[in-house]
Amino acid sequence: MTVALFALAALLILIGLAGVILPALPGVPLMFAGMLLAAWADGFHHVGALTLTVLGLLAVLALLVDFAAGALGAKRVGASGLALLGAALGTVAGLFFGIPGLLLGPFIGALAGELLAGGGVARAANVGAGTWIGLLLGTLVKLALSFAMLGVFALALLL
């Protein structure tokens, strides 16, 4: 039974790692769930409360970065409130269109929001691009935090 739990934990971690890059999967929560399952299967001998707390904090930070990245990118280029709302709505709408929707949704939403706010086409395109760059940088930070989680987890298992 323990082997099956470790196998399931490894599968959750691998699927979670893929989900960090593929926005349709809840990557960081899956990784944390896999690490928690592995710790439980081991009786918390190697991965204890302190390590799980650090992993949980890294996971929460990664989720916060994920949610804030697009908005911060748009805000950085001076987006209007409607552009920020459009980016958020575009992200949610993009979920229904797979990876292309997740990549284009925030851009299109921010662009439409800025146009509705009275910005010109060039300004709206700049806001859309800022939103997309924010999402890209957010994904990179989320990926780095995910690898930090893997490192903390691996170190705890080895010690």
Side-chain angles (χ1 to χ4, degrees):
M1 183 65 164
T2 303
V3 173
L5 289 175
F6 277 120
L8 178 59
L11 184 63
L12 285 171
I13 291 169
L14 289 174
I15 292 172
L17 191 55
V20 170
I21 298 169
L22 302 171
L25 295 172
V28 174
L30 285 174
M31 286 182 65
F32 182 75
M35 292 173 187
L36 181 61
L37 179 61
W40 180 71
D42 186 45
F44 301 99
H45 289 13
H46 293 93
V47 179
L50 178 62
T51 303
L52 287 171
T53 300
V54 170
L55 291 172
L57 290 173
L58 287 170
V60 167
L61 183 59
L63 290 172
L64 289 174
V65 164
D66 194 28
F67 285 119
L72 290 175
K75 187 90 169 145
R76 180 87 172 127
V77 294
S80 67
L82 281 175
L84 295 175
L85 178 63
L89 292 175
T91 300
V92 172
L95 292 172
F96 300 103
F97 298 100
I99 292 174
L102 289 168
L103 293 175
L104 294 174
F107 173 81
I108 293 169
L111 181 95
E114 192 64 29
L115 287 172
L116 286 172
V121 173
R123 170 118 180 91
N126 188 38
V127 167
T131 302
W132 191 83
I133 290 170
L135 287 172
L136 177 65
L137 292 175
T139 299
L140 292 175
V141 170
K142 186 172 64 167
L143 186 61
L145 289 168
S146 297
F147 277 112
M149 287 174 66
L150 285 172
V152 168
F153 183 72
L155 187 62
L157 285 177
L158 293 174
L159 296 179

